[in-house]
Amino acid sequence: MEILWVLTALVLLSFVLLPFLRRRRGVIEQVPPGHPDAADPADYGFVRQEELDVRMPGPDQDLLDVLDLVQRTQDHHAASQLLAGTEAEGELRWQRVQAFAGAAALELQQRPGGVSETPGGQWLRVWRAQSPKDAGGAAVHAEFLVQQAWRTSTPGTDEFRIIMEEARVSCGEAALLAPGDPVPYIIELSVARGLSYSRPEFEQLWLKILDRAPAHMGAHLAALHYWCEKWHGSRQLAMEFAQAAAARAPRGSLLAAMPLFAVFEHLPEVNLVRGFYQSEVVTKAVHGALHALHSARPGDPMAAHVRHLLIFFLVRSERWAEAMNQLVHVDGHVGALPWTLSEDPAAEFAVYRALAVAGYEANGGSPATLPH
C-alpha cells in the first residue's frame, strides 16, 4: 500500500511540474526550459506569466481605467459614475461590483493601517460616508464585507459570523436603494452559504433574484455553491440545480454551461482513474459548455468564465487543439475559476497553458495552424 501511495504522489507531482513538454515517438515527455524542443507559449503571442492580470476573467477596459484612477487618487467618484451607468440586470454590473470590492479588500490586506498610515481601501469608506444613498457604493461595501469574511476569518467562528451578519445588513440597505437591482441579493447568496440559511430561507432569496434577473449566470454560479456537497447540499442536488438551469436557458444564454461548473465543484481530491476526464459525465458537460459558447450573445461578459473552466477540462482531457482555441480568447486575464483557487493564479494558469501548447505541438500543431 505504501508503494501505491508513493507512485500516486509521483504521478500527481509530475503532472503539475510539466510546463515544458515535447513529442517523442508519439509520447509527451518532459524537457528542460531553454531546450530547443521545448514548447514556448510566447511563440503564440501569449502574455508573460508575470504580466497576467489576476483581477478579472476577461478584458473590461472601462473598469481597468477606473480602477487605476481610483487606486491612484483614492477618489471614489469615477467608480460611482461607472456603476451608475452600468445596466442593473446585466452580468457586467455584478462583475464590476466584485472587482471594486476585491480591490478595496486587497488594498486593506496590503496596508492594514496603523498609527501613522492610512489603511488601504479608504476610498470605499469615504464613498459610503459621503454618499450613503449611492446604490453602487452600498453594493460594493456589502460585497467587500463578504470578501473580508472569507479572506480573514474561518467559517463557523464568531468573527466570521459577525462580519457576515454585518454584510447581510448591508445587502438589505443596498437592496432598498435599488429595488430592481439583483446584485444585492446575489451578494447575499454568499452570506446565505456562510450563515447556513435553511433551504426555505435560501429558496425565498433565490426567488427574489429570479424575479429580477432569471437568466443571470453570475447568480446561478453563486447559488450553485449552496447546493454543493461541501456546503448545504449534495452532488445530486448541485447537478439537478445546474441541469435545471441549463434546460430553461433562453436562447443565447450561457446557462447551458452550468453542469460543467457542477462537475468541477465535485471533482475528487485525488483522481486515480486515467479515463475520468474522458468519462461520459465530463464529456457531456464539456460539450454543453462548448455549445453554450457557440450560441452565446457576442460580448457576453460571462463567456470568459466558461472559457477558463473549459481550458482546465480540455487540458485534462488531452483535447489540446480545443484548449488552445479557448486560450486565444482569454489569455492575459486569470481572475476566474479554477485559477483563483490557487495561491498563485497566474502560475497555475501558466502551467495549464504550457501543457496545452506542448500537447498541441506534439500533435502537429504550430503557431501558423492556430486560428485567432
Side-chain angles (χ1 to χ4, degrees):
M1 180 62 72
E2 291 182 359
I3 293 176
L4 176 60
W5 284 113
V6 169
L7 290 174
T8 300
L10 288 173
V11 169
L12 293 172
L13 186 62
S14 67
F15 181 82
V16 173
L17 299 179
L18 291 183
F20 297 96
L21 307 167
R22 65 171 175 173
R23 185 184 186 187
R24 183 175 177 182
R25 293 191 298 275
V27 178
I28 296 177
E29 298 179 349
Q30 181 179 1
V31 296
H35 189 285
D37 289 338
D40 187 356
D43 293 341
Y44 296 82
F46 292 148
V47 175
R48 293 164 60 91
Q49 179 180 327
E50 58 269 25
E51 296 174 355
L52 291 169
D53 193 326
V54 302
R55 294 173 294 180
M56 56 193 69
D60 183 348
Q61 194 58 49
D62 289 341
L63 174 60
L64 283 176
D65 291 343
V66 170
L67 266 176
D68 290 341
L69 178 62
V70 168
Q71 294 186 305
R72 186 175 67 253
T73 65
Q74 290 295 296
D75 186 332
H76 67 274
H77 286 93
S80 176
Q81 292 171 2
L82 182 65
L83 287 181
T86 305
E87 181 189 7
E89 296 81 11
E91 306 282 355
L92 201 57
R93 181 177 176 84
W94 166 230
Q95 291 194 20
R96 288 174 170 176
V97 166
Q98 285 184 303
F100 285 128
L106 183 59
E107 280 186 38
L108 182 59
Q109 179 183 336
Q110 294 171 340
R111 300 195 314 277
V115 176
S116 59
E117 182 185 39
T118 301
Q122 183 67 17
W123 54 269
L124 178 55
R125 297 180 184 83
V126 174
W127 188 357
R128 291 295 294 132
Q130 291 185 353
S131 306
K133 301 299 183 182
D134 186 327
V140 172
H141 182 246
E143 174 65 17
F144 168 81
L145 290 171
V146 167
Q147 292 194 25
Q148 279 296 96
W150 292 110
R151 286 171 183 259
T152 65
S153 54
T154 304
T157 63
D158 289 342
E159 180 185 7
F160 181 85
R161 178 168 289 276
I162 289 170
I163 301 174
M164 277 297 190
E165 290 288 0
E166 185 179 354
R168 174 155 59 177
V169 172
S170 293
C171 287
E173 294 172 350
L176 288 174
L177 291 171
D181 187 352
V183 170
Y185 299 103
I186 299 173
I187 297 171
E188 193 179 349
L189 290 172
S190 188
V191 176
R193 177 163 53 100
L195 293 182
S196 303
Y197 280 23
S198 67
R199 289 186 183 176
E201 287 178 303
F202 184 86
E203 288 168 352
Q204 185 178 16
L205 172 61
W206 182 239
L207 286 175
K208 293 178 181 178
I209 295 170
L210 292 182
D211 285 343
R212 291 162 175 81
H216 199 290
M217 178 77 170
H220 281 79
L221 291 177
L224 177 65
H225 290 295
Y226 179 91
W227 296 112
C228 286
E229 189 174 62
K230 58 189 173 184
W231 287 105
H232 308 296
S234 65
R235 181 188 304 266
Q236 180 179 347
L237 286 172
M239 187 56 73
E240 288 175 354
F241 174 81
Q243 290 173 341
R248 66 170 181 269
R251 185 178 181 83
S253 168
L254 285 165
L255 286 177
M258 283 297 299
L260 186 66
F261 288 86
V263 171
F264 177 76
E265 291 295 337
H266 294 89
L267 289 177
E269 290 288 337
V270 177
N271 174 42
L272 300 180
V273 181
R274 177 175 174 79
F276 174 78
Y277 288 94
Q278 290 85 28
S279 65
E280 181 180 357
V281 63
V282 172
T283 300
K284 185 176 180 180
V286 166
H287 285 171
L290 289 169
H291 176 73
L293 281 174
H294 180 73
S295 306
R297 293 180 292 270
D300 191 320
M302 292 306 294
H305 289 272
V306 178
R307 293 188 191 281
H308 280 291
L309 196 60
L310 272 170
I311 291 167
F312 171 87
F313 278 100
L314 292 169
V315 167
R316 289 292 186 103
S317 303
E318 300 181 9
R319 295 166 64 169
W320 313 114
E322 291 170 285
M324 292 292 286
N325 287 336
Q326 300 305 320
L327 278 166
V328 298
H329 289 285
V330 297
D331 187 74
H333 300 85
V334 295
L337 287 175
W339 328 121
T340 50
L341 297 179
S342 169
E343 292 184 2
D344 190 342
E348 185 79 0
F349 174 83
V351 167
Y352 276 78
R353 184 177 64 183
L355 286 166
V357 170
Y360 182 63
E361 293 187 355
N363 288 274
S366 71
T369 62
L370 182 65
H372 285 76

